[in-house]
Amino acid sequence: MSTSVLPPEVPKGALDDATAAKVEALIEQEEGAQNRLPGLLGHAAVGVALAMSLFHLWAAWDIVPTTTLRYVHVGFAMVLGFALFPMHRRFRHRVMVWDWALIAAGIYCIWYLIAGGDDLQDRYIFPEPMDLVVGWMLIALVLEVTRRATGWIMPAVAIAFLLYAFFGNHLAPPWRHQGYDMERLIPHITITLEGIFGTAIDVSATLIVLFTIYGAILQATGAGKFFVDFSFSLTGGKPSSAGRTVVLSSFLLGGPSGSGVATTVTLGTVAWPMMRQVGYRADDAGGLLAAGGLGAILSPPVMGAAAFLISEYLKIGYLDVIVMAIVPTCLYYASLLFMVELDQRRIAARRAADPNAAPPEAMKVDPVGKLVREYGFHFSTLVAIVVFMGIGYSATLSVLYATLVAVVLSWIKRETAITPRKLIDALASGAVQSVGIAATCACAGIIVGVITLTGLGLKFSDIAIQAAGGSLVITAIYTALIVWVVGLAVPVTASYIICAVVAAPALMKLGVPDYAAHMFVFYYAVLSEVSPPTALSPFAASAITGAGPYRTTLQAWKYTLPAFVLPFVFVTDPEGVGLLLRFTASMTWVDVAWQIVLATAGLAALAAACQGFLIRAMPGWERLALVVAGVLMIFPASLDALAPGVVPVPHWIGLGLAAALTLLQWRGPGARPA
């Protein structure tokens, strides 16, 4: 018998074994190929994971010194990482001799740092030989555990930055710096709170691990299943509403999970059969499922790990980050709904033209009232964190109390009750799910440490601004491209961490508020979830639907790209911060409402252009005209950048153009297809 501390497996009810195995393999690309350890080893792994969860829950309640908390967090991540993530797939489901050696080395490094105390911190400028030995060991261990948990790309990037720190003095200006030897660099990265144990690990140790535990508890209570069932019931279980169901359930399921891949897989196993019935092509369905999963990273109250880092970098409350995300999240899902409604129109027109098309069958679901009466208490878990933060508790205490609320309320129904066994499994699973994020944050700390020591962030900002000729719009476009390119190689969390210290300062130098610059970087970092080679959500969706992974990725772009024009409003329009529910001195709620109206209308226009269908199918020139109209409404500064001061009210031109095209669609030939 084996004991596993893996996250819950892919539900196989709607999938054959081969497809389920393929989906699990794709998830392992993000979460690592985890071991299922037999017998005593499995129980020991559960014990270590349980100890990690209990330690962090206690740290949320009591005061634990900052350095101790960060050191122990990395220590737990290394022990679990080397035990549960094999060096290579052929060594799975057992702990090899070298794994034990790495575990021992990790424990020794953490013990050395904790035992060194203040004396170690005080001598980082003049380190002892053993400080350097332990430092090199720690860097190597962090790189290896990150490679095991997330793949080789992130460690390779970190190694490149280390080489830059050592040999950057040989580069040409403006990339040149004075060069650093190991006596200066290694202690900076491994002893101070500017490297491995910097802000990213602080957030991982104080917030992210607590939210992964919270998510595991919700999963154990059956909250995820309820949110999916509720969404299907609310839309009547009709295949014609399958797209709307995906959008609604992705919001409800994604909000508490914060995981794009998990949301995509959970929805896909249930929704794909209905979507196929109603006439969705496999790649279209996969793209919509991936887009719904992407919303999980954008949706309060969890928003993925990067959102916690925004709070820490800006020194604001996490509730403030949630507030800033409300309108963009609603607009993202509004964009998806526009797409879905146009899907339904297009599919209905196609079915009407096919007399042999079989009518789709409705899915048997419980009535909404019955579901709410029996399981409606799960909704309290969606709002508990926000309520606790709203009444003044810190984010750490809020998630701790929300977790306790979820456990207590689970006993309302016998089948949802968190029994002691379920509780142990959930706590262990939550800890294991945090290992990959902790490793990523520690590895990103190496990169950030190099950037802060060499001043690369400031150099890069000057280079970007000069390349853009001082134009805010062009700088924003360059920044978006930089964040996107970084996101092609590394996960969302790492992409945000790197670009927050490299790319965001360029925007802030041009007068963009810091919170707007960081939200801009965050939204473009999220694009890595649907961008190959790390496009795991579309790849997982394609495994479920049977479509080609890259065709599915392109369709995911179609569903998500309209909403990703939106962040440009934050940074290029002084009143655009109203979409983040922030106000300039002269702004009122009327200005915010006007910004929302413009953004909504612009997203509708871009959605129709992407779909190629409004009231009827559109020729190419109409689609292009709608793109122009949508961009002018959402991103009016783009016209100012091309022709400064020529057109004083570009958003009105966009509104007028969209209205004219809609009228043309309504009155034109073929407007009412048979």
Side-chain angles (χ1 to χ4, degrees):
M1 180 176 177
S2 66
T3 302
S4 172
V5 289
L6 282 167
E9 293 183 358
V10 175
K12 298 180 175 61
L15 304 177
D16 57 66
D17 290 342
T19 302
K22 188 187 299 184
V23 171
E24 286 185 357
L26 286 166
I27 293 175
E28 284 178 353
Q29 291 183 28
E30 180 178 56
E31 300 177 353
Q34 296 182 25
N35 291 329
R36 297 183 184 276
L37 300 176
L40 288 176
L41 279 177
H43 290 297
V46 170
V48 174
L50 180 62
M52 180 178 180
S53 284
L54 293 176
F55 170 77
H56 285 92
L57 290 171
W58 174 254
W61 175 259
D62 200 4
I63 296 175
V64 175
T66 298
T67 53
T68 301
L69 178 60
R70 299 185 194 185
Y71 293 158
V72 173
H73 181 65
V74 173
F76 270 122
M78 288 193 294
V79 170
L80 286 174
F82 292 130
L84 295 177
F85 297 86
M87 185 181 73
H88 192 275
R89 289 177 183 273
R90 67 175 178 269
F91 302 118
R92 289 185 73 174
H93 312 315
R94 58 193 186 273
V95 181
M96 307 301 292
V97 173
W98 49 80
D99 297 325
W100 288 114
L102 292 171
I103 290 170
I107 293 173
Y108 172 74
C109 287
I110 298 304
W111 171 83
Y112 185 90
L113 293 171
I114 294 175
D118 292 338
D119 289 341
L120 180 65
Q121 297 288 327
D122 291 341
R123 67 172 184 260
Y124 84 92
I125 294 294
F126 303 104
E128 296 178 355
M130 197 60 195
D131 298 342
L132 298 176
V133 171
V134 171
W136 276 113
M137 286 175 58
L138 182 61
I139 290 173
L141 291 169
V142 166
L143 292 173
E144 172 60 10
V145 77
T146 305
R147 184 195 67 80
R148 292 188 180 201
T150 66
W152 59 269
I153 295 178
M154 187 69 184
V157 173
I159 291 171
F161 272 84
L162 286 173
L163 293 174
Y164 173 73
F166 282 124
F167 304 110
N169 56 316
H170 299 295
L171 297 177
W175 302 104
R176 181 186 299 163
H177 60 78
Q178 67 183 37
Y180 296 91
D181 56 22
M182 67 177 181
E183 284 80 7
R184 183 72 178 89
L185 179 63
I186 300 304
H188 178 80
I189 290 175
T190 60
I191 295 178
T192 72
L193 301 185
E194 300 291 332
I196 290 174
F197 302 106
T199 299
I201 276 296
D202 180 43
V203 174
S204 178
T206 56
L207 280 175
I208 295 174
V209 66
L210 296 177
F211 274 87
T212 58
I213 294 169
Y214 170 67
I217 293 289
L218 292 187
Q219 184 69 27
T221 65
K225 181 181 183 302
F226 164 72
F227 293 142
V228 175
D229 291 345
F230 173 80
S231 301
F232 275 92
S233 182
L234 194 64
T235 55
K238 300 176 183 177
S240 59
S241 300
R244 301 185 194 111
T245 302
V246 169
V247 176
L248 175 60
S249 54
S250 67
F251 171 73
L252 293 175
L253 189 64
S257 80
S259 170
V261 176
T263 302
T264 298
V265 171
T266 302
L267 291 179
T269 56
V270 181
W272 164 232
M274 289 182 64
M275 300 174 80
R276 180 171 50 199
Q277 265 197 63
V278 80
Y280 271 92
R281 297 183 316 183
D283 52 351
D284 276 336
L288 179 56
L289 290 168
L294 188 71
I297 311 176
L298 302 174
S299 302
V302 178
M303 294 178 61
F308 306 114
L309 291 158
I310 296 174
S311 171
E312 186 63 28
Y313 279 130
L314 297 180
K315 304 302 179 187
I316 60 176
Y318 184 61
L319 183 59
D320 294 325
V321 179
I322 291 176
V323 169
M324 287 194 294
I326 289 174
V327 172
T329 299
C330 291
L331 290 173
Y332 177 79
Y333 282 104
S335 173
L336 285 187
L337 278 175
F338 293 144
M339 289 283 205
V340 163
E341 293 303 319
L342 294 170
D343 275 337
Q344 297 303 136
R345 285 175 173 269
R346 188 181 68 244
I347 292 171
R350 190 169 66 237
R351 293 182 71 88
D354 182 6
N356 300 318
E361 298 177 6
M363 178 181 178
K364 187 176 180 180
V365 292
D366 289 330
V368 173
K370 180 182 177 182
L371 281 173
V372 172
R373 282 194 304 273
E374 293 189 3
Y375 302 101
F377 61 88
H378 285 306
F379 282 121
S380 65
T381 60
L382 278 177
V383 298
I385 295 175
V386 177
V387 169
F388 282 123
M389 286 192 288
I391 61 180
Y393 290 105
S394 66
T396 51
L397 279 179
S398 294
V399 69
L400 176 64
Y401 292 155
T403 303
L404 293 174
V405 167
V407 172
V408 171
L409 291 182
S410 72
W411 286 87
I412 291 177
K413 297 284 291 184
R414 185 171 182 177
E415 65 266 31
T416 66
I418 298 287
T419 61
R421 181 68 214 178
K422 278 187 179 180
L423 182 61
I424 290 173
D425 288 343
L427 291 175
S429 177
V432 171
Q433 290 177 54
S434 71
V435 169
I437 298 174
T440 298
C441 289
C443 192
I446 297 174
I447 297 170
V448 173
V450 170
I451 290 172
T452 57
L453 186 63
T454 61
L456 178 61
L458 296 176
K459 291 186 180 74
F460 193 88
S461 299
D462 291 337
I463 293 169
I465 293 171
Q466 289 174 12
S471 166
L472 176 57
V473 172
I474 303 301
T475 302
I477 292 172
Y478 284 171
T479 302
L481 290 172
I482 291 163
V483 179
W484 177 62
V485 169
V486 171
L488 297 180
V490 299
V492 173
T493 304
S495 177
Y496 170 76
I497 293 171
I498 295 168
C499 295
V501 295
V502 172
L507 296 172
M508 290 186 280
K509 277 190 174 183
L510 292 175
V512 176
D514 56 358
Y515 57 85
H518 279 261
M519 290 296 284
F520 181 87
V521 168
F522 168 68
Y523 276 93
Y524 275 93
V526 170
L527 267 178
S528 67
E529 192 75 13
V530 291
S531 301
T534 57
L536 298 180
S537 290
F539 284 14
S542 71
I544 293 171
T545 64
Y550 288 99
R551 282 186 60 84
T552 301
T553 301
L554 290 175
Q555 293 303 314
W557 279 15
K558 180 188 78 173
Y559 283 104
T560 57
L561 279 180
F564 282 97
V565 181
L566 194 65
F568 281 97
V569 184
F570 309 160
V571 297
T572 60
D573 187 342
E575 294 191 347
V577 295
L579 294 181
L580 300 175
L581 298 183
R582 294 295 182 102
F583 294 79
T584 62
S586 60
M587 284 178 63
T588 67
W589 281 105
V590 174
D591 298 311
V592 172
W594 178 236
Q595 287 287 334
I596 294 173
V597 167
L598 284 176
T600 305
L603 289 175
L606 290 176
C610 287
Q611 290 285 42
F613 197 97
L614 186 55
I615 298 169
R616 56 182 170 81
M618 291 188 292
W621 73 268
E622 287 187 4
R623 295 180 72 173
L624 181 60
L626 266 183
V627 169
V628 172
V631 170
L632 289 179
M633 285 185 276
I634 298 174
F635 184 22
S638 60
L639 186 57
D640 285 338
L642 295 174
V646 174
V647 182
V649 283
H651 52 273
W652 282 110
I653 294 176
L655 281 168
L657 182 57
L661 288 166
T662 304
L663 182 62
L664 179 64
Q665 281 264 307
W666 182 261
R667 301 290 297 273
R672 297 171 180 82

